[in-house]
Amino acid sequence: MNVAFIPVRGGSKSIPLKNIKSFCGKPLVYWVLKAANETSEIDEVILATESETIRSIVVSFGFSKVKIYDRDIKNAQDSSSTESVIQEYLEYSDLTNEDNFILIQATSPLLTSRDLKRGLKELTDNDSVVSCVRSKRFFWDKNGNPINYDFYNRPRRQEFEGVFMENGAFYISQIKSIRKSGNRISGKIAISEMPEYTGIEIDEEEDWIVAEAIMKRILSTQIELNSQKIKLVISDVDGVLTDAGMYYSESGDELKKFNTHDGMAFQILRERGIKTGIVTSENTKIVENRAKKLKLDYLYQGKKYGGKLEAVEEICKLENITLNEVAYIGDDRNCFELLSRVGLSACPANAIEKIKAIPKIRLLTKNGGAGVFREFVELIVNDSDS
């Protein structure tokens, strides 16, 4: 059994009644409740609060899986730890040691059911899971010593793996682990990576403004996605279907590493009658062979900068569709024009900043070559099924 637990108290010094303050037209706590309620793998969603006001507002949402737990007032103080209310609830509940416990924080409104599904999958071979974002910032200690890089060999951002930072969205453990350790996570811990923009913590009014702006952008993209029918999905190659690495054999032959999950994604689209293609600035036999194996409808190679847009416009004429019915994923500056024009655009987590800054682009969680095209396709397919 998978149980989500969301502790919410009425008091907040930084932002009064923060958890029920309107965020993008809904009380803040609504968004994490919605994400948990829509996650099919979660059986129950427990909201723990001492506030009658919060209780009545949450009940009005009408979420089928949500139940209210009246937390003890002594565990709802400014000095109260989250672990204290977790232990209180576990003493009250009839959950078994084999059940899974998903702690979700109400101050993470950017959390989605996809994030929770991904996190629960990570638990399979681990004792606990913690949600994190990848930070590519350079950190220093108070004594002027670099923590995560060598300033004499400053890495380029696209080559820098960075470090992972907790974003506080969720923590998953088996009940027996929590009872034994007294902590939300313990043992062998896995990281479940979420998009970089989910790293914001809503503690001050300024944080609220930034988070709400991000959420409005996401919601507007979802509305646009819901209002259209994608009929053609196009992908770049290097940095999307591959990790952008340059591999050579001893004889000097160029090699590329593709991800099998991405290969299955093309098949998923084909089974649904959605046309597929590759448009790339490179021109190699490797890509030609890969396109044949994937049974793609279109392959355009050697298309640099504006040539990519021209190629897709040509396909649109052949298919009698518009650019608004096209989805494209790219990662570098030669993808910019096409990404700015199609109906649905996306980029890998390690795309360059110029691409990430394109209005309404979907920032995916995976890097190029790590199954990011599959993630993009699941976004399209899941939306069409909803």
Side-chain angles (χ1 to χ4, degrees):
M1 184 174 181
N2 295 321
V3 176
F5 185 78
I6 306 173
V8 178
R9 63 189 186 92
S12 175
K13 289 184 177 180
S14 57
I15 304 176
L17 293 174
K18 173 172 64 176
N19 293 309
I20 53 174
K21 180 180 176 181
S22 179
F23 183 91
C24 290
K26 300 284 187 181
L28 179 65
V29 70
Y30 169 88
W31 299 104
V32 291
L33 286 169
K34 178 176 182 291
N37 194 71
E38 291 178 348
T39 304
S40 58
E41 292 82 354
I42 292 178
D43 302 291
E44 283 187 352
V45 182
I46 307 299
L47 183 123
T49 186
E50 87 296 358
S51 168
E52 284 298 324
T53 301
I54 293 176
R55 166 191 273 273
S56 62
I57 288 175
V58 169
V59 169
S60 72
F61 297 154
F63 289 131
S64 59
K65 297 180 185 177
V66 175
K67 298 179 180 179
I68 308 295
Y69 170 69
D70 296 318
R71 66 193 284 184
D72 194 317
I73 189 70
K74 73 179 182 182
N75 286 325
Q77 307 300 311
D78 288 336
S79 58
S80 301
S81 68
T82 299
E83 268 67 19
S84 67
V85 69
I86 291 175
Q87 294 297 335
E88 176 196 332
Y89 176 71
L90 292 184
E91 290 177 10
Y92 157 85
S93 76
D94 58 359
L95 294 174
T96 72
N97 279 343
E98 302 310 311
D99 292 329
N100 296 323
F101 191 87
I102 306 108
L103 170 63
I104 299 175
Q105 306 210 92
T107 50
S108 299
L110 302 175
L111 177 71
T112 69
S113 61
R114 286 193 298 276
D115 299 319
L116 292 169
K117 287 175 181 286
R118 191 179 300 113
L120 285 165
K121 287 182 180 178
E122 293 284 354
L123 189 63
T124 304
D125 300 315
N126 299 282
D127 299 310
S128 297
V129 179
V130 56
S131 64
C132 292
V133 296
R134 189 188 298 267
S135 173
K136 292 197 173 185
R137 302 283 186 175
F138 297 136
F139 293 98
W140 295 70
D141 65 22
K142 65 180 181 179
N143 296 317
N145 299 310
I147 295 174
N148 65 330
Y149 85 113
D150 176 5
F151 61 84
Y152 285 111
N153 296 285
R154 184 180 295 269
R156 295 191 304 163
R157 182 179 175 85
Q158 59 266 38
E159 298 170 346
F160 182 50
E161 291 188 1
V163 295
F164 286 103
M165 177 186 76
E166 284 188 36
N167 65 352
F170 65 84
Y171 306 82
I172 309 176
S173 287
Q174 280 194 318
I175 298 293
K176 63 182 178 184
S177 298
I178 298 175
R179 285 175 172 157
K180 181 179 180 180
S181 68
N183 203 304
R184 68 189 76 179
I185 52 175
S186 60
K188 183 182 177 183
I189 301 171
I191 288 173
S192 185
E193 186 175 356
M194 288 177 60
E196 187 176 2
Y197 59 77
T198 65
I200 186 169
E201 295 185 41
I202 304 179
D203 292 324
E204 305 295 339
E205 292 287 352
E206 292 79 6
D207 304 327
W208 191 284
I209 293 170
V210 173
E212 197 166 33
I214 294 172
M215 185 64 146
K216 287 177 179 177
R217 174 178 171 178
I218 292 171
L219 291 174
S220 66
T221 304
Q222 289 175 344
I223 291 171
E224 182 178 353
L225 182 56
N226 289 331
S227 66
Q228 65 190 23
K229 176 71 174 178
I230 297 299
K231 297 180 180 177
L232 171 67
V233 178
I234 301 290
S235 178
D236 186 21
V237 176
D238 291 327
V240 177
L241 298 180
T242 77
D243 61 4
M246 301 296 290
Y247 303 94
Y248 295 94
S249 68
E250 288 186 0
S251 59
D253 296 325
E254 182 180 348
L255 307 174
K256 293 182 184 295
K257 183 178 72 173
F258 293 92
N259 190 292
T260 57
H261 294 166
D262 289 338
M264 179 59 70
F266 282 105
Q267 181 177 325
I268 291 170
L269 292 171
R270 187 168 61 253
E271 291 171 351
R272 291 170 177 266
I274 299 175
K275 299 288 186 177
T276 59
I278 283 175
V279 177
T280 175
S281 58
E282 299 296 320
N283 196 339
T284 67
K285 192 68 176 178
I286 298 174
V287 172
E288 181 182 337
N289 291 337
R290 183 62 175 165
K292 287 180 180 178
K293 184 172 183 178
L294 295 174
K295 300 179 182 178
L296 303 188
D297 297 289
Y298 296 99
L299 171 63
Y300 284 76
Q301 297 200 76
K303 300 297 180 182
K304 300 180 183 296
Y305 299 97
K308 290 193 172 187
L309 176 58
E310 292 174 0
V312 174
E313 287 178 330
E314 182 177 317
I315 298 173
C316 287
K317 289 180 181 179
L318 293 171
E319 294 291 336
N320 195 28
I321 61 176
T322 68
L323 283 172
N324 284 333
E325 296 169 298
V326 176
Y328 177 64
I329 177 171
D331 72 309
D332 214 331
R333 57 188 301 169
N334 57 357
C335 302
F336 182 86
E337 189 173 6
L338 180 55
L339 286 169
S340 300
R341 293 285 302 279
V342 295
L344 177 62
S345 60
C347 66
N350 60 338
I352 67 168
E353 294 304 312
K354 178 181 177 68
I355 296 300
K356 290 181 180 180
I358 294 174
K360 297 184 180 180
I361 196 167
R362 296 303 291 254
L363 306 178
L364 302 176
T365 64
K366 296 182 181 297
N367 289 341
V372 70
F373 183 76
R374 176 68 171 270
E375 181 183 353
F376 186 37
V377 168
E378 288 181 348
L379 170 71
I380 297 169
V381 170
N382 290 340
D383 184 81
S384 65
D385 287 344
S386 62

